[in-house]
Amino acid sequence: MIRRGRHWLSQTISRQQTAGALSESIKSDGAAGVGGPARRVFMFAGLAALALVPPIALMLQQPFYLDLFTRIMIFAIAALSLDLILGFGGMVSFGHAAYLGIGAYAVGIAGYYGITDGFAHFGIAVLVSALTALLIGLVSLRTSGVFFIMITLAFGQMIYFLGLSVNKFGGDDGMTIAEHSRFAGVDLFADPAGLYYFTFCALVLFLWIGFRLVRSRFGMVIRGAKSNERRMGAIGFPTFRYKLCAFVASGAMCGFAGALLANQALFVSPALVHWTRSGEILVMVILGGVGTLFGPILGAVLYLVLEDVLSGVMDYWQLVLGLILLTFVLFVRTGIVGIADWQRRGVRHA
Amino acid sequence: MALLLEQLLNSLQFAMMLFLMAAGLTLVFGIMNLINLAHGSLYMVGAYVCASVFATTGSFAVGVLAGLAASLAVGVGIEVTTFRTLYKRDHLDQVLATFALTLIFNDLVRLIWGPTALYAAVPAFLTGRVEILPGTPYPAYRLAIIAVGFAVAALLYLVITRTKLGMIIRAGASNRVMAGALGVNIVLLYTIVFAMGALLAGLAGLMAGPLFTVASGMGDSVLILAFVVIVIGGVGSMQGAFIAALLVGFVDTMGRAYLRLLLGQFLAPTAADNAGPALASMMIYIVMAMVLFFRPQGLFPARVR
């Protein structure tokens, strides 16, 4: 009886209160990544450009670019999944590569046991990474701030060492995957363009889901918890459960990206899960712009293109990349998306 | 019995390396609230400089001094140039900047010393074995590491509990804003604490050199273990770091040595062969998860808030 009463109360209060609490944070966030009209035009132009990559690569006889951009879009999905909890929920997960690895190993291990069906592959990848995220989230979300960063980092390394020590699936050397995922018996990914457009559609789908999620009641609660968790709790929202849900959804999405990555490389190894990989995903999000939907995609493009160009020119490309990143943090301080509307918003971290 | 003793000493030796890494990190973290991924680079610099100077001069003492000096210089250098700007930034910026630093240092050592791993020799006077029990020899070098670890721990304990500097450090760890308001020169304190952390990391690195390979990126995996130690021990707490290092060292070494045998009692041999190493490599993270589940702030949190 009392429980029901409290629940009813929280429901009524929440409708009015969240609106007030959130309009404030939305104002300071510049529509929180959903973007103004200019940004939206830019986003559609960018997606259209991505859709045109395969014919252009074919025309230029450079199939390599198809590969590069497939990789970029896969990492864009991973970065987007991280930004959904990092930018909108304030949860800095430093172990996101773990889900990437789990998704990739799901395809590899299922293939090892003779399962080639794509629905099964992607289903297992999403389910197992969601389950792992649930377990990791249950422990790590009890903490916040720097603790949360270090704990997710440590759990990521745990998955890394797990992959390293299971000799049956290649251990340190990794495992080669014999076949692509097949959908209803059709090898959709035999043609690189097939994989490209599949990845492209997944990216657009996840962007749309992210767009809807951020504006939904659920997204409002998550964003409210980021700006003031105690207030959201006082209003009557069980913020822990909301955050855990978001954490699991993000892990599942990243697991999907991992399954795509396995299909692209036809190889998985624990190196995919190493903490520096988690760092790279984080860097993509920060480079592109935290708390925006299109930022992580831009960040993935910038990071991987930089990596590709620099490593083609010199041996010690990480040195240059590190210097660029350092300069970026110390002097620029906002993501690429942030630079674009610097004047409108002022400097972000103030 | 002899084997058990040997494994116990191994875990003690591993714990001492972890403690040296974690001690500096927990101070930097507890006092400046800065997440420093580049701490592993200081470890690497210590190892590289000591190994190469030892190889060229032939004197271990000179190598040690050079290694310590190099990690101190690099530590103070990055503190003054980058970290001072980072203290007031949010954790995301700190992560990105120190991540960039690890990329830079990993490539710098490859640029200077070449891409292949460096061979680090054990000094001649520590190459032998010592009979700890009749019929049970143990490498003298590992015993020396344990001794150095305990000596440093004792010294740190004295500095932190008995000196004025230690008092200021403790004040900073429990409430740095109040310490600043009471007239402590925070900028100088930060540099001193960071220098101490760099020295300890360099010491750990140069001692680790002969045991592991001296290669680019060698500090990265130790860094994560040091984070685990800090998280279990409680941020900013020296005795927390010490006890957590012992715990992590013990669990990891014993898990790798005995978990497979233990599982063999309950499981089929092949299953135990597969599950043993996998579980052993995850043990410390499971311990960390358990500690955090019951005490999210760690075993001995220094900060009262």
Side-chain angles (χ1 to χ4, degrees), chain A residues 142 146 150 318-319 329, chain B residues 29 89-91 107 227 293:
Chain A
R142 292 167 63 88
V146 192
M150 294 206 298
Q318 291 203 335
L319 182 65
V329 187
Chain B
F29 199 18
R89 301 288 188 84
D90 62 8
H91 296 311
D107 255 11
F227 276 148
F293 197 76

Side-chain angles (χ1 to χ4, degrees), chain B residues 11-140:
Chain B
S11 67
L12 208 54
Q13 175 255 316
F14 186 43
M16 287 306 131
M17 311 282 312
L18 286 180
F19 170 68
L20 291 181
M21 277 297 276
L25 209 52
T26 200
L27 282 182
V28 170
F29 199 18
I31 294 178
M32 309 164 193
N33 203 13
L34 177 100
I35 181 159
N36 179 16
L37 297 174
H39 204 70
S41 301
L42 301 169
Y43 172 91
M44 181 174 67
V45 167
Y48 262 98
V49 172
C50 176
S52 61
V53 171
F54 180 31
T56 45
T57 63
S59 159
F60 187 63
V62 175
V64 168
L65 283 179
L68 288 178
S71 49
L72 180 69
V74 171
V76 172
I78 56 178
E79 202 272 339
V80 172
T81 53
T82 32
F83 286 20
R84 284 194 181 167
T85 349
L86 286 175
Y87 293 135
K88 289 207 174 71
R89 301 288 188 84
D90 62 8
H91 296 311
L92 265 186
D93 281 4
Q94 297 173 354
V95 164
L96 186 60
T98 53
F99 182 70
L101 281 175
T102 59
L103 290 183
I104 294 172
F105 280 111
N106 281 348
D107 255 11
L108 265 184
V109 297
R110 285 202 294 145
L111 194 68
I112 298 172
W113 283 283
T116 48
L118 214 61
Y119 172 72
V122 176
F125 65 99
L126 289 174
T127 45
R129 284 166 170 268
V130 180
E131 281 211 9
I132 35 173
L133 279 180
T136 315
Y138 192 76

Side-chain angles (χ1 to χ4, degrees), chain A residues 81-247:
Chain A
S81 78
L82 176 59
D83 195 35
L84 282 179
I85 56 168
L86 165 68
F88 297 102
M91 294 169 257
V92 186
S93 165
F94 206 140
H96 240 55
Y99 312 114
L100 211 56
I102 289 171
Y105 267 104
V107 173
I109 293 173
Y112 179 85
Y113 287 110
I115 304 170
T116 53
D117 183 59
F119 295 108
H121 281 178
F122 282 85
I124 296 170
V126 167
L127 267 180
V128 177
S129 31
L131 202 67
T132 315
L134 179 70
L135 291 177
I136 293 179
L138 268 177
V139 178
S140 358
L141 283 172
R142 292 167 63 88
T143 62
S144 60
V146 192
F147 271 100
F148 185 80
I149 301 181
M150 294 206 298
I151 290 156
T152 45
L153 181 58
F155 277 124
Q157 280 302 93
M158 177 173 101
I159 306 284
Y160 169 74
F161 283 114
L162 180 66
L164 214 59
S165 61
V166 181
N167 287 326
K168 188 166 185 184
F169 302 116
D172 197 7
D173 300 328
M175 67 192 295
T176 338
I177 298 168
E179 273 185 281
H180 289 119
S181 307
R182 286 168 175 273
F183 289 92
V186 182
D187 191 351
L188 194 65
F189 301 150
D191 179 8
L195 180 62
Y196 185 91
Y197 280 114
F198 186 86
T199 311
F200 179 74
C201 291
L203 178 63
V204 173
L205 179 73
F206 283 128
L207 256 180
W208 182 76
I209 291 177
F211 185 80
R212 299 288 303 198
L213 210 60
V214 169
R215 294 180 144 194
S216 67
R217 181 172 177 279
F218 177 82
M220 290 282 185
V221 176
I222 297 290
R223 283 153 69 189
K226 181 197 175 193
S227 80
N228 191 336
E229 181 156 4
R230 196 173 286 180
R231 180 162 60 189
M232 289 311 280
I235 290 170
F237 285 104
T239 49
F240 181 83
R241 266 183 268 162
Y242 274 88
K243 285 169 82 173
L244 188 60
C245 273
F247 193 80

Side-chain angles (χ1 to χ4, degrees), chain A:
Chain A
M1 193 64 199
I2 295 173
R3 276 182 66 117
R4 236 185 94 202
R6 204 195 284 158
H7 185 65
W8 168 81
L9 191 67
S10 74
Q11 288 272 320
T12 7
I13 294 178
S14 69
R15 293 273 153 73
Q16 301 149 3
Q17 292 278 325
T18 40
L22 281 169
S23 68
E24 181 192 326
S25 74
I26 290 169
K27 246 180 244 158
S28 66
D29 256 13
V34 177
R39 217 194 265 178
R40 213 172 296 172
V41 169
F42 185 58
M43 178 161 142
F44 282 118
L47 286 179
L50 274 179
L52 287 178
V53 166
I56 294 174
L58 193 71
M59 212 163 66
L60 298 174
Q61 308 248 315
Q62 294 281 359
F64 164 73
Y65 285 108
L66 200 58
D67 240 30
L68 176 67
F69 274 88
T70 310
R71 228 174 103 76
I72 286 176
M73 288 194 300
I74 294 171
F75 274 96
I77 294 175
L80 181 64
S81 78
L82 176 59
D83 195 35
L84 282 179
I85 56 168
L86 165 68
F88 297 102
M91 294 169 257
V92 186
S93 165
F94 206 140
H96 240 55
Y99 312 114
L100 211 56
I102 289 171
Y105 267 104
V107 173
I109 293 173
Y112 179 85
Y113 287 110
I115 304 170
T116 53
D117 183 59
F119 295 108
H121 281 178
F122 282 85
I124 296 170
V126 167
L127 267 180
V128 177
S129 31
L131 202 67
T132 315
L134 179 70
L135 291 177
I136 293 179
L138 268 177
V139 178
S140 358
L141 283 172
R142 292 167 63 88
T143 62
S144 60
V146 192
F147 271 100
F148 185 80
I149 301 181
M150 294 206 298
I151 290 156
T152 45
L153 181 58
F155 277 124
Q157 280 302 93
M158 177 173 101
I159 306 284
Y160 169 74
F161 283 114
L162 180 66
L164 214 59
S165 61
V166 181
N167 287 326
K168 188 166 185 184
F169 302 116
D172 197 7
D173 300 328
M175 67 192 295
T176 338
I177 298 168
E179 273 185 281
H180 289 119
S181 307
R182 286 168 175 273
F183 289 92
V186 182
D187 191 351
L188 194 65
F189 301 150
D191 179 8
L195 180 62
Y196 185 91
Y197 280 114
F198 186 86
T199 311
F200 179 74
C201 291
L203 178 63
V204 173
L205 179 73
F206 283 128
L207 256 180
W208 182 76
I209 291 177
F211 185 80
R212 299 288 303 198
L213 210 60
V214 169
R215 294 180 144 194
S216 67
R217 181 172 177 279
F218 177 82
M220 290 282 185
V221 176
I222 297 290
R223 283 153 69 189
K226 181 197 175 193
S227 80
N228 191 336
E229 181 156 4
R230 196 173 286 180
R231 180 162 60 189
M232 289 311 280
I235 290 170
F237 285 104
T239 49
F240 181 83
R241 266 183 268 162
Y242 274 88
K243 285 169 82 173
L244 188 60
C245 273
F247 193 80
V248 170
S250 166
M253 196 164 144
C254 199
F256 191 94
L260 283 173
L261 204 59
N263 269 297
Q264 197 229 354
L266 286 179
F267 174 75
V268 296
S269 77
L272 195 59
V273 196
H274 196 253
W275 71 269
T276 46
R277 186 65 74 176
S278 298
E280 283 175 17
I281 303 176
L282 201 59
V283 165
M284 289 172 195
V285 174
I286 302 172
L287 271 184
V290 175
T292 63
L293 288 173
F294 201 52
I297 302 174
L298 273 181
V301 173
L302 185 73
Y303 187 88
L304 291 173
V305 167
L306 253 181
E307 180 187 281
D308 182 63
V309 170
L310 288 177
S311 63
V313 182
M314 62 186 97
D315 280 343
Y316 300 102
W317 58 275
Q318 291 203 335
L319 182 65
V320 181
L321 190 68
L323 286 173
I324 293 176
L325 285 180
L326 196 61
T327 320
F328 193 86
V329 187
L330 292 181
F331 303 111
V332 183
R333 300 187 64 181
T334 47
I336 306 168
V337 174
I339 297 173
D341 22 58
W342 206 319
Q343 283 156 326
R344 188 146 53 84
R345 279 208 280 166
V347 180
R348 177 169 54 91
H349 293 285

Side-chain angles (χ1 to χ4, degrees), chain B residues 6 23 28 33 120 122 136 140 143-144 153 158 171 186 224 258:
Chain B
E6 207 169 304
V28 170
N33 203 13
V122 176
T136 315
L143 280 181
L158 284 180
I186 292 289
I224 310 296
Y258 293 112

